[in-house]
């Protein structure tokens, strides 16, 4: 079993829909990253959080340390949100990231 | 957020040649840089961690003599793929961090194709 699990693996949504991507982890962490990777390959760091909730524009990330679970929400989704979303856990024991397998999101106009 | 650049963005080379990829942090001092490779539709795999001025720490299964990493300054790390073979064709991504516990900022990646 992977230390970081994401669901769903693939997600298709209609423009305007509210989207949730989930991430569960089984190790102790100091922080969790949400990353976005577009088809060209470049990776953008969306959030790094260790507790509570962060918001940036239409994106919201939450984390529940006790339940070892994080969610990424996209409000009013748009086709330009189509990308692979990756959660990555920064283990308490070091500075390496452990990556989930990614969620491939397609938003249709 | 902070900016990390990679050069080149893509490269095609012949089997047996060596290729150097640069990773630069443009607006902060990167104590630690990480090198990843990613195969199509797979997640990132950490190859090595480099700290400025010291030898890189390689992950299990990564040949240090094949993937030479140099982190000579706080803003530059290089990855040299020596004697490249077609199986080395991949997407190579670096990230940079100001230190343990700091956020990692990712470069745009370098697509290497070995013919």
């Amino acid at each position: 079993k992977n230390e970081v699990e994401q669901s769903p693996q693939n997600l298709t949504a209609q423009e305007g829909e509210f989207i949730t991507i989930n991430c569960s982890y089984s190790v102790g962490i100091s922080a969790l990253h949400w990353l976005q990777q577009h088809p060209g390959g470049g990776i953008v760091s969306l959030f790094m959080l260790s507790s509570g909730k962060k918001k940036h524009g239409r994106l919201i990330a939450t984390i529940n340390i006790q339940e070892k679970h994080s969610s990424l929400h996209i409000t009013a989704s748009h086709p330009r949100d189509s990308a692979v979303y990756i959660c990555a856990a920064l283990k308490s024991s070091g500075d390496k990231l452990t990556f989930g397998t990614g969620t491939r999101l397609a938003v249709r106009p | 957020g902070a900016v990390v650049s990679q050069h080149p963005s893509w490269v095609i080379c012949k089997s047996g040649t060596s290729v150097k990829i640069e990773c630069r942090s443009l607006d902060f001092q990167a104590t630690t840089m990480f090198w990843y490779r990613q195969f199509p539709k797979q997640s990132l795999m950490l190859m090595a961690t480099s700290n400025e001025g010291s030898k890189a720490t390689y992950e299990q299964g990564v040949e240090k003599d094949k993937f030479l990493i140099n982190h000579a300054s706080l803003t530059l790390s290089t990855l040299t793929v020596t004697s490249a073979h077609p199986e080395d064709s991949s997407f190579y991504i670096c990230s940079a961090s100001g230190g343990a516990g700091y956020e990692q900022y990712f470069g745009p990646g370098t697509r290497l194709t070995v013919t």
Side-chain angles (χ1 to χ4, degrees), chain A residues 23-98:
Chain A
C23 177
S24 297
Y25 52 92
S26 57
V27 294
I29 69 167
S30 57
L32 188 122
H33 288 250
W34 280 102
L35 310 171
Q36 179 192 57
Q37 186 172 30
H38 277 283
I43 290 178
V44 174
S45 179
L46 299 174
F47 296 104
M48 183 175 88
L49 65 165
S50 53
S51 66
K53 175 181 174 178
K54 286 190 176 180
K55 184 176 189 294
H56 186 258
R58 294 180 295 105
L59 303 177
I60 303 167
T62 63
I63 189 167
N64 185 317
I65 298 296
Q66 286 74 31
E67 295 186 4
K68 295 189 173 180
H69 181 268
S70 176
S71 293
L72 176 69
H73 306 285
I74 305 174
T75 62
S77 59
H78 191 276
R80 65 174 174 265
D81 297 326
S82 299
V84 176
Y85 292 84
I86 304 166
C87 73
L90 183 63
K91 290 185 182 180
S92 306
S93 55
D95 56 2
K96 299 178 188 177
L97 290 175
T98 302

Side-chain angles (χ1 to χ4, degrees), chain A residues 30-31 33 35 37 39-48 54 86-88 90 94-97 99-102 104, chain B residues 32 34 36 38 41-46 49 51 57 59 91 93 95 99-109 111:
Chain A
S30 57
H33 288 250
L35 310 171
Q37 186 172 30
I43 290 178
V44 174
S45 179
L46 299 174
F47 296 104
M48 183 175 88
K54 286 190 176 180
I86 304 166
C87 73
L90 183 63
D95 56 2
K96 299 178 188 177
L97 290 175
F99 295 88
T101 51
R104 191 172 299 273
Chain B
T32 307
F34 303 85
Y36 301 90
Q38 185 182 36
K41 298 197 174 181
Q42 293 189 22
S43 192
L44 283 76
M45 288 180 54
L46 179 66
T49 303
N51 292 294
T57 302
E59 295 300 297
F91 192 59
I93 304 170
S95 71
Y102 284 77
E103 188 163 359
Q104 284 189 35
Y105 297 97
F106 289 81
R111 191 163 301 281

Side-chain angles (χ1 to χ4, degrees), chain B:
Chain B
V3 179
V4 175
S5 70
Q6 276 185 245
H7 179 80
S9 55
W10 60 271
V11 58
I12 302 172
C13 70
K14 291 187 176 179
S15 188
T17 62
S18 295
V19 174
K20 180 185 282 190
I21 302 169
E22 291 186 350
C23 176
R24 292 182 186 271
S25 59
L26 299 183
D27 53 0
F28 71 104
Q29 293 186 324
T31 306
T32 307
M33 287 187 171
F34 303 85
W35 285 96
Y36 301 90
R37 66 188 297 183
Q38 185 182 36
F39 292 106
K41 298 197 174 181
Q42 293 189 22
S43 192
L44 283 76
M45 288 180 54
L46 179 66
M47 299 175 67
T49 303
S50 75
N51 292 294
E52 185 262 340
S54 61
K55 289 184 179 180
T57 302
Y58 290 81
E59 295 300 297
Q60 196 172 9
V62 178
E63 300 174 56
K64 62 180 181 181
D65 294 330
K66 181 167 182 62
F67 298 99
L68 301 177
I69 291 172
N70 184 281
H71 191 166
S73 77
L74 284 171
T75 58
L76 174 65
S77 177
T78 60
L79 168 68
T80 302
V81 183
T82 62
S83 187
H85 286 94
E87 57 265 31
D88 299 323
S89 299
S90 188
F91 192 59
Y92 291 87
I93 304 170
C94 73
S95 71
S97 164
Y102 284 77
E103 188 163 359
Q104 284 189 35
Y105 297 97
F106 289 81
T110 297
R111 191 163 301 281
L112 170 63
T113 302
V114 185
T115 60

